[in-house]
Amino acid sequence: MTHLYKSVPVRSSEITPKDTYLSRRDFMKAATVATGAALLSACAPSVADEIQNAEPVPTSSATDELGDPLNTYEDITNYNNYYEFTVDKQQVAAEAKGFTTSPWTVEVGGLVNKPKTFGIEDLLKEFPQEERIYRLRCVEAWSMVIPWEGFTLAALLNMVEPTSDAKYVRFETINRPEEMPGLKSPFYPWPYQEGLRLDEAMNDLTLLATGLYGEPNVPQNGAPIRLVVPWKYGFKSIKSIVKIELVAEMPATLWNSIAPNEYGFYANVNPEVNHPRWSQATERRIGELSRRPSLSFNGYGEQVAALYDGMSLVENY
Ligand code: MTE
């Protein structure tokens, strides 16, 4: 049986600004690190010094609409998937540091009446930024709660006016080998590409995110602009977009072309359809010890289940 969960995009205005205080969790983490260091070295700073010197990180008392706390800025920016840099999630931030995100343009074209190439500053000016707290559920079965900032993809698409032949939207990440060491890997058909059906792209949940926690995106999270499709596995949420094209046929996508039986085009979060190599019934929320049940459509069924009326979600995984 499929359960539908209500979800309302939550404004994150209560988010405590960066630099204010250390959360209890970070306080505990700092204390644990310091204790460990003290055991290993006679020269280790005292626990009190360590806590005083710990980097303040943005924290929040806000939750998502299901009542779950947000992940910390530190978690969100230090545990990433971005294969153009490295496959090591904890090294992406270091590898992506200094990545050039300005100037930046996004070309929007294909089957539209008014194709246009936007500078990132035009997008920020043209479309009011709003805050949305979304769960991000990776196909690898870890998840986070992230306060994004951005604007709906629908707002952008309405401006360029898709023609009646447009049925899908295709997205492409920048391909810049001199700054992205992972692009040397011949195993992947670069550039990273993703796609949505037009009605999925026009859904109000589908966001072009330009920031998180009130700060502009950092390279490891897909600066300057990335897609966020919260009811789908995270690989659909393509980073550092330079091209958006309206097309008539279902576009090829990077993961689907490598392993179509493992990564479907739809990729809706579905605890009842397992990945061929692991279960999707539960997930590990970063920062929690025990696993939690995964939710159908990642908890956004009320807004999106109707998009798939009459479709088999087992065949169209
Ligand atoms: N986009 C690009 N260009 N390259 C990638 O490797 N990884 C995807 C997605 N977008 C990826 C990408 C995957 S598998 C996930 S889970 C999310 O980005 C992770 O986003 P985050 O690192 O901001 O949490």
Side-chain angles (χ1 to χ4, degrees):
M1 185 175 143
T2 306
H3 297 276
L4 298 183
Y5 291 83
K6 187 168 170 54
S7 146
V8 182
V10 180
R11 296 199 62 82
S12 57
S13 37
E14 314 128 72
I15 294 170
T16 311
K18 208 170 170 182
D19 305 334
T20 6
Y21 60 91
L22 280 173
S23 70
R24 188 181 142 71
R25 243 188 78 218
D26 293 312
F27 181 92
M28 297 307 289
K29 219 176 356 186
T32 315
V33 168
T35 312
L39 287 175
L40 290 172
S41 162
C43 304
S46 73
V47 171
D49 286 347
E50 192 77 23
I51 290 167
Q52 218 164 27
N53 297 333
E55 269 276 296
V57 291
T59 53
S60 170
S61 54
T63 64
D64 67 5
E65 81 288 0
L66 303 180
D68 290 332
L70 307 192
N71 282 89
T72 62
Y73 186 76
E74 199 194 330
D75 282 344
I76 298 167
T77 57
N78 286 285
Y79 191 84
N80 301 101
N81 270 332
Y82 202 161
Y83 276 36
E84 289 89 329
F85 290 101
T86 168
V87 297
D88 181 343
K89 291 184 225 319
Q90 277 149 323
Q91 284 304 313
V92 175
E95 288 289 347
K97 201 168 178 198
F99 176 66
T100 310
T101 56
S102 173
W104 194 275
T105 55
V106 182
E107 182 189 339
V108 191
L111 301 171
V112 299
N113 291 323
K114 298 182 172 166
K116 186 169 173 181
T117 297
F118 296 84
I120 187 69
E121 56 294 334
D122 307 330
L123 292 172
L124 291 168
K125 232 183 291 157
E126 190 73 46
F127 301 100
Q129 310 291 300
E130 50 179 302
E131 295 169 304
R132 300 266 184 111
I133 297 174
Y134 283 160
R135 294 171 287 289
L136 176 103
R137 175 26 167 109
C138 181
V139 72
E140 299 162 336
W142 55 266
S143 63
M144 295 202 201
V145 183
I146 303 180
W148 297 109
E149 302 211 338
F151 54 96
T152 60
L153 175 61
L156 177 65
L157 296 182
N158 284 333
M159 181 172 273
V160 296
E161 297 180 7
T163 68
S164 55
D165 295 334
K167 299 285 183 280
Y168 293 89
V169 189
R170 181 183 162 272
F171 305 84
E172 204 175 292
T173 293
I174 196 163
N175 195 25
R176 195 188 283 151
E178 63 281 16
E179 285 194 82
M180 297 172 129
L183 291 175
K184 291 196 190 82
S185 169
F187 183 66
Y188 302 98
W190 307 112
Y192 198 102
Q193 296 175 49
E194 257 309 332
L196 294 174
R197 222 170 54 190
L198 185 57
D199 58 348
E200 298 177 319
M202 296 299 281
N203 188 276
D204 182 60
L205 288 177
T206 306
L207 199 70
L208 282 168
T210 54
L212 63 98
Y213 261 113
E215 299 283 329
N217 276 333
V218 282
Q220 60 267 38
N221 292 99
I225 186 163
R226 57 93 56 88
L227 188 68
V228 184
V229 196
W231 71 95
K232 293 178 178 284
Y233 292 122
F235 66 87
K236 300 295 289 183
S237 293
I238 181 172
K239 296 179 170 180
S240 307
I241 297 169
V242 288
K243 191 166 180 186
I244 299 177
E245 195 182 5
L246 283 287
V247 294
E249 308 289 334
M250 184 182 278
T253 64
L254 181 132
W255 285 108
N256 187 245
S257 27
I258 297 171
N261 62 325
E262 300 193 1
Y263 309 103
F265 177 83
Y266 284 95
N268 294 318
V269 176
N270 190 344
E272 287 162 24
V273 176
N274 290 331
H275 186 278
R277 291 182 281 130
W278 60 83
S279 165
Q280 294 292 26
T282 62
E283 67 200 54
R284 181 171 63 91
R285 178 68 47 87
I286 301 303
E288 291 181 356
L289 291 178
S290 45
R291 295 180 76 86
R292 50 165 66 215
S294 287
L295 305 177
S296 180
F297 297 111
N298 203 23
Y300 300 98
E302 190 161 295
Q303 290 100 318
V304 299
L307 293 170
Y308 311 101
D309 274 352
M311 261 177 70
S312 159
L313 295 174
V314 176
E315 280 162 37
N316 300 286
Y317 55 89

